[in-house]
Amino acid sequence: MTQGQSCREAFVEASSFLEKCGVYEPHNNARLLLEHVLGVYGAQYYMMQPEPFPSELRSRWEDAVTRKAAGEPAQYIIGSQEFYGLPFEVTPAVLIPRPETELLVEAVLREADRVFAGGGAVHAVDIGTGSGAIAVTMATLRPQWQVGAGDISAAALQVAARNAAANGVQIDFREGDLLAPFAGARVDILVSNPPYIPAADIAGLQPEVRDHEPRTALDGGPDGLAPYRVMLEQLALLPAPPQIVGFELGQGQARDVAALLESAGHWPEIIIVPDLAGIERHVLGVRTSEQVT
């Protein structure tokens, strides 16, 4: 970075540098970092473009761009990611929340409003909660629910607990393997975005995912479906199967996961939900009160 640059010139230089370094979406990443360093967003960001870049922020800006060029996700550099309009702290202990997961939350809420239209207590759990994005969003949008969340990582649960507190919701956090921490607990809704990348495919992921996001949140076993099978087996630990199950999954896995849910025999309705790109991204199993056997 040269002395006397404008904010716009700093952005252009950083974008070009990140592009040469092979960074995915270099312009978007440069903007995210510049907004963060300057502490301005929206209209303020554009108003700052012709202004001289603040000299006191120069070292912080260069550090952020250098880290991004080395492959570190911008969200970890910034320390936050928005999900469903809510702010979430993210650290290398948790998977960065993705926009497509918002569609899973929407689908679960839609089906829950239908299944539990009669009111009464609803107990929902988010398995493999990571940053707590799903659990916190459900608790925010449905404050009458009792929401629990589990993760095998104590460090992830610490991040999730901070996010729950920051967003003003109460969640029952439990540490352990998938559904095991909720053995004996009532679960009406089970939601999970578990690890679903086949182990052999991890080496081929984008470097910023492969080298920086937690492997425990990525590795789904030999075919990527191990966590789904385990959770369905662990349903025996609950007093009764959930009336709604909602899973996020990888490309090409929807039909296999739908078959697993169908084989379990607890949900007469199996729903496949595509993401905005048309990829079959979520599978739901639904059983209304009238369908309870």
Side-chain angles (χ1 to χ4, degrees), residues 8-216:
R8 172 65 182 172
E9 289 169 335
F11 164 77
V12 171
E13 183 181 68
S15 296
S16 177
F17 175 63
L18 294 177
E19 186 171 16
K20 289 177 182 176
C21 291
V23 171
Y24 179 66
E25 295 186 340
H27 306 298
N28 184 54
N29 276 286
R31 175 181 170 172
L32 287 173
L33 295 177
L34 186 56
E35 286 178 330
H36 172 66
V37 170
L38 294 176
V40 295
Y41 305 91
Q44 282 186 309
Y45 170 79
Y46 290 104
M47 290 174 64
M48 283 284 291
Q49 291 292 296
E51 298 294 323
F53 189 94
S55 58
E56 68 274 16
L57 298 177
R58 179 171 177 165
S59 62
R60 187 179 175 197
W61 168 241
E62 291 178 341
D63 176 68
V65 173
T66 300
R67 288 169 64 183
K68 181 64 243 179
E72 187 173 353
Q75 292 87 344
Y76 289 158
I77 299 171
I78 294 169
S80 66
Q81 170 66 30
E82 185 179 279
F83 182 86
Y84 222 101
L86 301 172
F88 286 88
E89 173 192 346
V90 291
T91 77
V94 302
L95 193 74
I96 298 166
R98 266 64 170 185
E100 56 264 27
T101 307
E102 295 179 356
L103 300 177
L104 173 61
V105 174
E106 286 181 0
V108 168
L109 294 179
R110 182 173 59 249
E111 294 305 316
D113 289 345
R114 176 171 69 95
V115 172
F116 304 107
V122 175
H123 294 74
V125 298
D126 169 25
I127 300 302
T129 193
S131 67
I134 292 175
V136 169
T137 302
M138 290 194 301
T140 300
L141 298 179
R142 296 294 184 273
Q144 71 274 24
W145 289 6
Q146 299 294 313
V147 179
D151 204 289
I152 200 170
S153 166
L157 288 174
Q158 291 173 0
V159 175
R162 292 196 294 270
N163 282 323
N167 284 284
V169 296
Q170 294 288 329
I171 293 175
D172 177 14
F173 289 107
R174 304 188 187 187
E175 181 181 350
D177 187 24
L178 299 175
L179 269 172
F182 293 93
R186 172 181 169 181
V187 177
D188 301 308
I189 300 173
L190 163 62
V191 188
S192 183
N193 177 18
Y196 54 69
I197 306 297
D201 293 349
I202 290 179
L205 295 176
Q206 290 181 353
E208 68 174 36
V209 175
R210 180 192 64 216
D211 300 336
H212 294 276
E213 298 199 63
R215 189 180 178 100
T216 54

